[in-house]
Amino acid sequence: MDDKAVLDKTPVDHIGPPRTDDGLREQAVTELRKRRELAGHLMAFILVNTFVVIIWYVTGAGFFWPVFPIFAWGIGVVFHTWDVLWPQPTEASIRSTMDRIARRR
């Protein structure tokens, strides 16, 4: 496989010259931090909402009102997960989009 084919499939989250080892390390650290923050967010979501459901159960287990905070916070968890796990654009997809925009002009 030639270097151009490898370059076309690498994620791009900035505009500029190709990344150096320091740049790649910085990008890897950022990605790992985002994943750790997501894990913390999921843990807080599970623990707090478990506690809310326990309160609901202990106080009489009538209408399941915990659905409202679970649903509302769940929307935030979904968007946080999307932000962390959605792949970054590749050079090939950027070039393709640039070509499509140029054709519209």
Side-chain angles (χ1 to χ4, degrees), residues 21-23 31 35 43 56 62 73 84 94 96 99:
D21 285 341
D22 290 338
E31 185 175 320
R35 287 177 182 262
M43 182 64 72
W56 165 79
W73 195 351
V84 171
I94 291 171
S96 171
D99 291 343

Side-chain angles (χ1 to χ4, degrees), residues 22-93:
D22 290 338
L24 288 173
R25 184 180 192 290
E26 181 182 328
Q27 184 178 2
V29 168
T30 300
E31 185 175 320
L32 290 170
R33 280 194 183 125
K34 288 174 76 173
R35 287 177 182 262
R36 184 179 178 130
E37 290 169 359
L38 176 61
H41 191 178
L42 290 172
M43 182 64 72
F45 175 79
I46 291 168
L47 291 175
V48 169
N49 286 307
T50 299
F51 183 68
V52 168
V53 170
I54 289 170
I55 291 172
W56 165 79
Y57 182 76
V58 169
T59 59
F63 174 73
F64 188 68
W65 56 265
V67 71
F68 299 112
I70 291 170
F71 179 74
W73 195 351
I75 292 170
V77 169
V78 167
F79 280 110
H80 191 170
T81 303
W82 177 322
D83 179 52
V84 171
L85 300 180
W86 194 259
Q88 296 294 322
T90 62
E91 280 295 330
S93 66

